Amino acid sequence: TNLCFSFRGLHQKLFRATPMGDKAAVDDLNLQYRMQLIGVYILIPCVLLLDTPTLSRTITQIIQTITRTTALSSSSFVSLVYGVLQHDNNSNINNNNGDDQIGIDQN
C-alpha cells in the first residue's frame, strides 16, 4: 500500500506539471477521480489474471441458474396457456349442448 501511495503522489505531481493538469483545467476532486480510475484500470487485469478460474465458475453457475429458471418459466407458461385453451374448449362444447351436431335441425 505504501508503494501505491507513493506512486499516486508521484503521478499527481507529474500530472500537475503538465498543461493538462493545471489547477484551472482539473480541480482536486477530478484529479482524485482520475487517480481512482487509473487504480481500477490497474486492478482489473490483476484480478482477471489471478482469479479467472473462480470468476469463470461463478459466471457459469449464474448462467445455469438463469437457464434453469427460464426453462421452468417457459414450461409453466406453456402449461398455463394449454390449460386456459383446454378450459375454453370444454366450455364451448358444454354451452352448445350438442345442438351443432350434424343431422339436427336448427329450426
Side-chain angles (χ1 to χ4, degrees):
T1 58
N2 288 338
L3 184 64
C4 290
F5 183 75
S6 298
F7 280 135
R8 183 186 58 84
L10 179 63
H11 183 69
Q12 282 181 340
K13 188 180 282 187
L14 292 174
F15 181 71
R16 283 284 188 206
T18 65
M20 285 181 16
D22 187 31
K23 283 217 183 236
V26 179
D27 62 351
D28 289 335
L29 183 64
N30 285 323
L31 181 62
Q32 286 299 322
Y33 172 75
R34 181 184 167 104
M35 295 299 114
Q36 295 297 326
L37 196 59
I38 290 171
V40 169
Y41 289 154
I42 293 171
L43 180 67
I44 287 175
C46 296
V47 168
L48 291 176
L49 180 67
L50 299 173
D51 208 28
T52 299
T54 305
L55 188 62
S56 64
R57 276 194 303 272
T58 304
I59 291 172
T60 303
Q61 288 173 350
I62 291 170
I63 290 171
Q64 288 173 350
T65 302
I66 290 171
T67 305
R68 272 188 248 126
T69 305
T70 305
L72 179 63
S73 298
S74 63
S75 64
S76 299
F77 178 74
V78 169
S79 298
L80 181 65
V81 169
Y82 178 74
V84 168
L85 292 176
Q86 190 66 22
H87 175 72
D88 187 45
N89 188 26
N90 288 339
S91 295
N92 286 338
I93 290 172
N94 292 337
N95 288 339
N96 288 333
N97 295 325
D99 292 341
D100 60 344
Q101 294 178 0
I102 298 175
I104 295 178
D105 191 13
Q106 299 288 331
N107 294 330

